[in-house]
Amino acid sequence: MSQSMNANRKSLEHKVALITGGARRIGACIARTLHREGLNLVIHYHGSAEAARELQAELHHHRPDSVLLVGTDLLDPAKIEKLVSQATHEFGQLDVLVNNASSFYPTPVGKTTDAQWEDLIGVNLKAPYFLSQAAAGPLTESGGCIINLVDIYAERPLKNHPVYNVTKAGLIGLTRALARELGPAVRVNAVAPGAILWPEGDVDEIAQQRLISRTPLKRAGNPTDIAETVLFLVRDAEFLTGQVVNVDGGRSIVP
């Protein structure tokens, strides 16, 4: 990239991003990528306290006092509002909200429980809505943005995961609705990963290879692919809102 193009890029130094589920996996990669660009971070975690502390120490080695950790349960509406207020109190502003935290497990029809419904809807859809509502004021003041992590399964449902599929389809709808509600001050977009990181637990290598074989690029992606897309939406995509960017190696265009 030419020096002139780099010079025209918007500086993110001293901006502030709140990342839910930011201690591990894709969330941690997003945190490292945004931190590298000069943002201060508020990293939310729930059950990953040790990983969160390790990530904070790593990032503070590069830039001291630039990362606030907040452990909280996103199913508690009162704690959601407090999460946003802690971010603005610590750093004085909020420029980016990344709704990355997500629950994922099967809920076959006939075996789904009410508790599973409430958990998946609560973490994957309700929390992003109420976080966005709480953050709307400071994001409007800063001219900031919201980025929701959705899934290609929102439009290509994964068998035995109907509730999860519904939550991600709802989050795409929320992305578009918020883009209308919060514009022109706040941009709202979504990123839909394909085969990036496999779910933790039992690994079905045959199913993984079958999925990759149906992907035009014939390979899995990695968390950096998602993090760099988030960075693009934060820094470069000033005329993009209400959109879903599929980062899936072309999987979403194949029948």
Side-chain angles (χ1 to χ4, degrees):
M1 181 171 292
S2 69
Q3 289 185 348
S4 61
M5 290 180 68
N6 278 324
N8 290 332
R9 276 183 161 173
K10 181 174 66 174
S11 172
L12 299 181
E13 193 170 354
H14 305 307
K15 302 288 187 181
V16 180
L18 166 57
I19 306 170
T20 65
R24 299 173 61 247
R25 293 167 63 86
I26 289 175
C29 189
I30 292 171
R32 291 185 179 98
T33 299
L34 295 183
H35 189 267
R36 182 193 70 212
E37 295 295 317
L39 282 92
N40 294 322
L41 304 180
V42 180
I43 296 178
H44 155 268
Y45 66 92
H46 186 208
S48 303
E50 183 176 355
R53 288 191 292 268
E54 289 176 356
L55 179 59
Q56 182 187 46
E58 172 193 330
L59 298 179
H60 277 177
H61 177 73
H62 298 286
R63 185 153 39 89
D65 302 322
S66 57
V67 178
L68 172 68
L69 300 180
V70 181
T72 195
D73 184 356
L74 293 179
L75 294 175
D76 186 335
K79 291 181 179 178
I80 284 177
E81 290 194 13
K82 186 177 180 181
L83 180 57
V84 173
S85 65
Q86 284 175 289
T88 55
H89 177 76
E90 179 74 10
F91 294 113
Q93 65 190 73
L94 183 63
D95 303 273
V96 181
L97 169 62
V98 181
N99 285 308
N100 167 72
S102 184
S103 285
F104 174 86
Y105 47 81
T107 53
V109 173
K111 298 182 179 179
T112 305
T113 66
D114 183 70
Q116 291 173 329
W117 172 273
E118 293 297 332
D119 175 60
L120 286 166
I121 292 289
V123 174
N124 296 359
L125 184 56
K126 182 179 179 180
Y129 176 80
F130 282 98
L131 273 166
S132 299
Q133 176 173 270
L139 288 175
T140 296
E141 290 180 14
S142 65
C145 64
I146 298 171
I147 299 168
N148 297 319
L149 271 291
V150 293
D151 200 311
I152 63 170
Y153 292 132
E155 297 182 350
R156 306 176 65 89
L158 179 63
K159 189 173 176 58
N160 292 324
H161 292 71
V163 182
Y164 174 81
N165 298 332
V166 165
T167 65
K168 293 301 183 175
L171 191 53
I172 288 177
L174 180 61
T175 298
R176 293 168 177 157
L178 289 176
R180 293 203 67 181
E181 295 291 330
L182 301 181
V186 179
R187 295 178 295 109
V188 187
N189 291 291
V191 179
I196 302 294
L197 287 177
W198 306 108
E200 295 177 318
D202 294 336
V203 176
D204 187 338
E205 293 185 2
I206 294 176
Q208 290 178 4
Q209 291 305 315
R210 189 180 299 122
L211 188 152
I212 290 172
S213 72
R214 297 197 301 269
T215 299
L217 294 186
K218 304 300 182 187
R219 62 179 174 84
N222 60 69
T224 302
D225 296 318
I226 304 303
E228 291 293 338
T229 303
V230 170
L231 175 60
F232 163 74
L233 291 172
V234 171
R235 184 186 60 195
D236 304 316
E238 293 190 345
F239 198 56
L240 220 63
T241 195
Q243 305 304 308
V244 179
V245 182
N246 292 320
V247 185
D248 62 1
R251 177 71 184 92
S252 55
I253 65 173
V254 178

